[in-house]
Amino acid sequence: MSFYTSSSSQKTHNLNTRQSPDPDSSPASSPGAITPTTTNTESAGSFYLSNLLWGGLFRRFTSEPSPSLSPENSPPTLGHAHTYQPDGEDDGMNLSKSMDGVHAPAHFHHRVPSPMGPPQLEPLQLLGFSARTRAEVRLLTPAIAEEVRNLVPTRLSIVDEWNLVYSLDQDGASLATLYDKCDRYRGKRVGFVLAVRDTEGGIFGAYLSDVPHIAPNYFGTGECFLWRASVQAPLPPPPSLIDSEDTPDVARSTTIKAEPNAASGQTNAHSIRFKAFPYSGVNEYYMLCGQQFLSVGAGDGRFGLWLDSGLEKGVSSTCQTFGNEPLSDEGEKFGVLGVELWVIGA
């Protein structure tokens, strides 16, 4: 134990002796060793800076300039990188003004409308009238049908054949018969056009988005709408211009019922004034059908169009669903002379 303590003291003394040299003594020079001096350090730093400066100038003035990019010498990987020229000079292939390594989007010309318009619709064909049905009792004419066609959904407006499902003149005055003839269209994406003629000869109706059927609640969609068609008869020019040679060729019209064409029983297309009442968005009372009635549109106890089970009487009032005016010129209540139901897209 005493040996270990003595040895440790001796080692500590020797270590202190090596770490604390005498300030008055100078270290001994070992053979072959070169001791650096302050003069040698400054010379080495000056030599290094001089070599760095002259080497940079030499490389700057002796290096070749980088070739400019062009369609002939541009690398294949940078064929898409060029500078966009807002003045229109850049045609998508001019790479001489590009920035190396920087991608700029290609110049795209402004789009112009296509000169090709939508295809023209084929004329409508109304199919289903029997040979014994006279022209004067047919409600939906081609002129009125074309007006309704402009408002039906696009998927159905391209259909050029409408088929008669029910006609009061051909099938009898019965709402139950109308429902029975519609059953085969249940579950199909079709539309229906209802046309009614009152006792004064007015023609009006509705577009139905769903199959008419007996249901406890309202059904249908916002594609439904009400419509009315007024027949305009031409008037002669005013008396002050009858004898004048400069009578202008200006058409005058009135809402007086026009006489049908003797050959076809139909009025001309230009004598039809069509008015539609689309969905207002106030409520969702589109269609409601029962055993005793068929109605389209409602609100505040009023119906846009209502027909009884015998298809003899009807009601048309201003309703919230379509914001319409009464469809019949007779008033809110009117007598029924004819009813037709057409299917589109079957």
Side-chain angles (χ1 to χ4, degrees), residues 96-130:
S96 60
K97 299 180 180 180
S98 64
M99 301 173 61
D100 296 347
V102 178
H103 170 71
H107 175 65
F108 293 100
H109 298 285
H110 294 287
R111 293 183 177 181
V112 295
S114 173
M116 303 297 295
Q120 188 175 4
L121 299 178
E122 296 293 332
L124 274 180
Q125 300 182 41
L126 302 178
L127 308 178
F129 285 118
S130 65

Side-chain angles (χ1 to χ4, degrees), residues 220-236:
T221 68
E223 295 176 347
C224 296
F225 61 86
L226 299 176
W227 58 268
R228 63 174 298 183
S230 300
V231 180
Q232 294 179 326
L235 288 177

Side-chain angles (χ1 to χ4, degrees), residues 27-41:
S29 300
S30 59
I34 300 177
T35 303
T37 61
T38 303
T39 303
N40 294 336
T41 302

Side-chain angles (χ1 to χ4, degrees), residues 30 35 64 71 124 145 171 174 182 193 247 258 271 273 295 317 344:
S30 59
T35 303
E64 297 181 358
L124 274 180
D171 302 310
S174 173
C182 292
V193 177
T247 301
S271 63
R273 181 183 179 186
S295 67
S317 305
I344 311 174

Side-chain angles (χ1 to χ4, degrees), residues 192-194 196 205-210 212 218-221 223-227 277 283-289 293-299 302-307 315-324 327 341:
F192 294 86
V193 177
L194 177 66
V196 179
Y207 170 77
L208 311 178
S209 61
D210 284 27
Y218 284 93
F219 60 95
T221 68
E223 295 176 347
C224 296
F225 61 86
L226 299 176
W227 58 268
F277 306 93
N283 57 38
E284 297 181 354
Y285 301 156
Y286 309 114
M287 301 172 57
L288 183 62
C289 300
F293 67 92
L294 179 152
S295 67
V296 183
R302 297 174 177 269
F303 295 97
L305 179 60
W306 182 93
L307 300 175
V315 176
S316 178
S317 305
T318 301
C319 71
Q320 295 179 344
T321 308
F322 302 107
N324 60 289
L327 302 180
L341 185 67

